[in-house]
Amino acid sequence: MSSSFGFYMIFAACLTAFFSALTLAAPASIEKREYTGRATYFEVGLGSCGQTNVDSDYIVALNPTTYAGGAHCGKKIQITDKATGVHAVATVRDTCPGCGVDDLDMSPSLFSHFENLSKGVFEVEWNFL
C-alpha cells in the first residue's frame, strides 16, 4: 500500500509542476476593445486628471463611465475618423459629463487633425493602446 501512496504523490507532484509550467508559459490574455462614438471638441484647461493643458495638445475627455474615476488618466488612445480613415494618438486628460458612453471630446487641435472645427461633430472608432 505504501508503494501506491508514493506513486500517487509523485504523480500529483508531476501534475502540479506541469500545470504550473503551463501557467507561466501561457501569454496573458489581453482584450482589445474597439469603441465607436461621436467626436466633439472643447476648450481645454485644468482637466479632471489634475493637469493643465492647452488647445494645441492632443488630448481627449471621456464620459464619466469610461473615465472610471480617473482610471484611464494619462493613457494613450488610437483614434480613427470613420469617414476618412485618418488616425491619431491622443492622451486621456479629462472627463466629459455630456458625452455618450463611447464618445470623445477632443482638444481643438486634435479635432482639427481630423475635420474642420465648423463641422462640430463626426464619427470615430478608437481603442486604448
Side-chain angles (χ1 to χ4, degrees), residues 26-104:
S29 173
I30 299 174
E31 180 181 335
K32 185 175 180 181
R33 178 168 180 240
E34 187 82 17
Y35 299 84
T36 300
R38 297 170 8 129
T40 54
Y41 70 94
F42 68 109
E43 299 298 319
V44 303
L46 177 60
S48 299
C49 293
Q51 295 182 336
T52 301
N53 296 283
V54 295
D55 289 346
S56 60
D57 294 333
Y58 274 24
I59 65 162
V60 297
L62 303 176
N63 74 80
T65 302
T66 308
Y67 181 75
H72 299 296
C73 284
K75 290 188 179 176
K76 301 287 186 188
I77 63 170
Q78 171 81 33
I79 308 162
T80 303
D81 183 328
K82 287 183 67 172
T84 65
V86 173
H87 56 87
V89 173
T91 305
V92 175
R93 291 279 194 235
D94 207 348
T95 185
C96 175
C99 289
V101 175
D102 294 340
D103 295 347
L104 296 176

Side-chain angles (χ1 to χ4, degrees), residues 4 14 21 24 42 45 50 61 91 117:
S4 293
C14 289
L24 293 174
F42 68 109
T91 305
L117 292 178

